[in-house]
Amino acid sequence: MAPSATYPIISTTHSGADLEAISDAVDEINVLKFKAAQQVTEILNDNNNNSSVPSSPTSESSSTSHEEEEEEEEEDLGDFDAPSHFDSTKDHSRFRQYTTAESRVLNFYTEQHTKQTVSHNLAARAHFNSPDRKRPEMTIWQAIECLNSLIDESDPDTELSQIQHLLQSAEAIRRDGKPRWMQLVGLIHDLGKLMLFFELASGQWDVVGDSFPVGCKFSEKCILHESFSANPDSGHAVYSTEHGIYAPGCGIENLMMSWGHDEYLYQVVKDQSTIPREGLAMIRFHSFYPWHREEAYGWAMKEGDEELRRAVRAFNPYDLYSKSDEPVDVEAVKPYYMELIDEFFPNKVIKW
């Protein structure tokens, strides 16, 4: 469905196709890195299982008590981080291989890592919050249709539409019995890509790709870390230091994340929805691989941040692997998701 003429967007279908090609290439590499990390974990678990070191009664009792406390704390949120079943039988080799994405991703990250500076991020946020900016207004479902028409119709590199990826993610979460708010996160998590068409992005480099904080030393655990050498902040007297403009223990939510579709969507929905803190973290940090996968930036974490990381890790497979699912009958599931949207978005029309 074509977007309404009242949507204040930029007509840039070529950019849409290029954006998704880059986004898919980045996902390919993250899929392979995720698979490699799983294999290492399995090896470590096998080694631990083969060692016959009995647990002491004290430690077992302590562990059980800790688990019971966690269950009580999570009761209101639902079992969002229970083991995922939707991809347990998938052949991950079906995903395209690293070699097809290597050059494209290298060029993309060279540009992103050079241009994502503190100065750029302050300017991007100032523009987003400017009282002079005319904010597009549409419902969540209209936004999904808008993203679908702007990107999918021009993209020769994918057989599935944007609405299919969003619904596949949401349906996989739904089949696994995860809470309704998490299903909604699956449905909307990529809507921030609309920023490219709302004059809120300078190019693909500040829309997609792995995210990271600015204003402090770029972690060596960031993908293609060496390409940060051309970033002006790498030589800054403050921004290049370990903690930069932050204090240890400031909290992961208080870092200024690189401007992109994750950060943009978070800024849009945090005050216009009732999505819980864990769901907002899934939206904001699902591309923050240096933190949720590689455990970098631990110095910034405060009490409660480990639960946020656990939430993001629980969401991540549904984003990476759901693209191989069967297409969803959009009209059949639409009533369910329209009800879900209304549940968490009290104001039906959202300011973007």
Side-chain angles (χ1 to χ4, degrees), residues 36-50:
Q38 284 182 316
Q39 290 173 339
V40 171
T41 300
E42 289 171 2
I43 292 172
L44 292 174
N45 288 339
D46 288 342
N47 290 339
N48 290 335
N49 291 336
N50 291 333

Side-chain angles (χ1 to χ4, degrees), residues 17 44 104 176 215 217 265 299 334:
L44 292 174
R104 175 179 283 162
D176 268 356
K217 182 180 180 181
L265 183 62
W299 56 263
K334 182 177 177 180

Side-chain angles (χ1 to χ4, degrees), residues 264-318:
Y264 165 61
L265 183 62
Y266 165 75
Q267 296 293 338
V268 168
V269 303
K270 65 184 178 71
D271 296 323
Q272 299 188 79
S273 75
T274 58
I275 297 171
R277 180 172 177 244
E278 287 76 6
L280 294 176
M282 292 174 183
I283 291 171
R284 190 183 190 191
F285 300 126
H286 70 268
S287 299
F288 192 10
Y289 285 92
W291 174 62
H292 70 72
R293 177 184 290 167
E294 306 296 338
E295 300 192 351
Y297 300 101
W299 56 263
M301 294 176 67
K302 66 178 182 181
E303 185 177 357
D305 284 354
E306 187 56 50
E307 285 74 15
L308 295 184
R309 182 155 62 185
R310 187 157 52 89
V312 178
R313 286 172 172 169
F315 174 76
N316 190 238
Y318 296 103

Side-chain angles (χ1 to χ4, degrees), residues 170-181:
E171 284 289 277
I173 296 170
R174 182 184 176 189
R175 287 196 302 272
D176 268 356
K178 299 301 176 71
R180 287 169 64 82
W181 60 263

Side-chain angles (χ1 to χ4, degrees), residues 24-231:
D24 285 346
V26 168
D27 282 347
E28 291 169 29
I29 290 180
N30 279 323
V31 164
L32 293 174
K33 290 178 68 178
F34 188 79
K35 184 178 179 182
Q38 284 182 316
Q39 290 173 339
V40 171
T41 300
E42 289 171 2
I43 292 172
L44 292 174
N45 288 339
D46 288 342
N47 290 339
N48 290 335
N49 291 336
N50 291 333
S51 61
S52 55
V53 180
S55 300
S56 66
T58 302
S59 63
E60 183 177 346
S61 174
S62 174
S63 175
T64 302
S65 175
H66 181 63
E67 289 173 359
E68 290 175 352
E69 289 177 1
E70 288 186 340
E71 288 177 2
E72 290 177 1
E73 291 174 358
E74 295 167 10
E75 186 175 354
D76 293 338
L77 292 172
D79 200 6
F80 68 83
D81 65 339
S84 167
H85 302 294
F86 87 99
D87 69 335
S88 59
T89 59
K90 287 183 188 290
D91 176 10
H92 293 168
S93 65
R94 291 175 58 195
F95 293 86
R96 289 177 293 173
Q97 297 301 303
Y98 175 84
T99 53
T100 66
E102 184 175 13
S103 176
R104 175 179 283 162
V105 170
L106 176 62
N107 292 336
F108 166 79
Y109 277 119
T110 297
E111 183 175 21
Q112 186 206 47
H113 289 175
T114 299
K115 294 181 176 179
Q116 283 279 5
T117 62
V118 169
S119 176
H120 170 73
N121 275 267
L122 290 174
R125 285 163 173 78
H127 176 52
F128 171 77
N129 291 304
S130 172
D132 296 328
R133 181 175 76 88
K134 186 176 180 180
R135 299 183 67 168
E137 296 186 5
M138 65 181 84
T139 67
I140 293 293
W141 195 265
Q142 286 174 329
I144 291 171
E145 292 177 333
C146 185
L147 183 68
N148 197 50
S149 62
L150 282 169
I151 293 179
D152 176 62
E153 291 177 3
S154 66
D155 189 352
D157 195 40
T158 181
E159 296 178 359
L160 292 177
S161 64
Q162 284 296 294
I163 199 170
Q164 282 295 330
H165 171 53
L166 295 178
L167 285 171
Q168 283 175 334
S169 297
E171 284 289 277
I173 296 170
R174 182 184 176 189
R175 287 196 302 272
D176 268 356
K178 299 301 176 71
R180 287 169 64 82
W181 60 263
M182 187 171 173
Q183 298 170 33
L184 178 70
V185 169
L187 181 70
I188 70 173
H189 73 278
D190 269 350
L191 288 184
K193 292 178 181 178
L194 284 171
M195 63 185 291
L196 183 67
F197 308 97
F198 292 163
E199 296 184 316
L200 290 167
S202 300
Q204 296 157 20
W205 58 271
D206 62 349
V207 179
V208 295
D210 288 9
S211 59
F212 46 86
V214 296
C216 61
K217 182 180 180 181
F218 300 114
S219 171
E220 293 182 0
K221 293 186 178 181
C222 292
I223 187 172
L224 299 172
H225 171 265
E226 62 278 3
S227 59
F228 281 110
S229 60
N231 187 305

